[in-house]
Amino acid sequence: MPAKQFLIKGITQSGKVFRPSDWAERLCGVMSAFRPQGQASRHAGHLQYSPYVVPVMVGNLKCVLVDERLEGIEPMAMEFVVSFARDNALLFEEFSAEPPTENSDDIKTSDAAPGQAPRTPVG
């Protein structure tokens, strides 16, 4: 059974684009320490996002894809992410990992750092 995920969108309930423009990378950077047991960062000194909280683009909109397994590792980390979305009035919705259709927006992960190639599309 695939893990449940939800998407925090970089748009507020009033329809405004959320600022600052790097909010998704900042949030994911804060959550970078939360990883599966036994998985350590492979590159000392380089930020690697947690596989449970990843910045993504949906069309031209910055978003954060959150894997609900984060709650099993650290419930307070999940509460922090959800509270961040609620406190900033950001839209969020359940995410389906089904491949995109012709009419859907492509979802791509954000670059981890300037000059680094983007990751493969999620989905």
Side-chain angles (χ1 to χ4, degrees):
M1 183 167 108
K4 284 190 164 194
Q5 298 175 317
F6 64 92
L7 196 63
I8 301 173
K9 296 181 174 185
I11 191 161
T12 65
Q13 293 172 359
S14 64
K16 295 180 181 178
V17 174
F18 186 62
R19 299 281 183 235
S21 61
D22 65 345
W23 74 270
E25 292 83 3
R26 289 182 186 199
L27 178 59
C28 293
V30 169
M31 295 287 109
S32 65
F34 300 102
R35 335 186 131 272
Q37 188 172 0
Q39 184 189 51
S41 178
R42 288 177 260 177
H43 304 288
H46 295 278
L47 174 68
Q48 287 187 314
Y49 296 124
S50 165
Y52 302 125
V53 186
V54 182
V56 296
M57 294 291 294
V58 177
N60 292 326
L61 185 63
K62 284 202 175 192
C63 301
V64 171
L65 185 62
V66 181
D67 187 313
E68 291 184 354
R69 291 179 290 183
L70 175 64
E71 188 165 28
I73 292 173
E74 180 51 68
M76 289 176 61
M78 178 62 88
E79 181 60 30
F80 177 83
V81 171
V82 171
S83 292
F84 176 87
R86 286 189 180 137
D87 292 349
N88 290 290
L90 297 177
L91 301 176
F92 56 100
E93 64 185 39
E94 190 171 320
F95 176 76
S96 171
E98 294 177 16
T101 63
E102 283 184 33
N103 298 326
S104 67
D105 291 327
D106 288 333
I107 298 177
K108 296 182 171 54
T109 58
S110 297
D111 289 342
Q116 187 178 27
R119 299 178 189 181
T120 56
V122 174

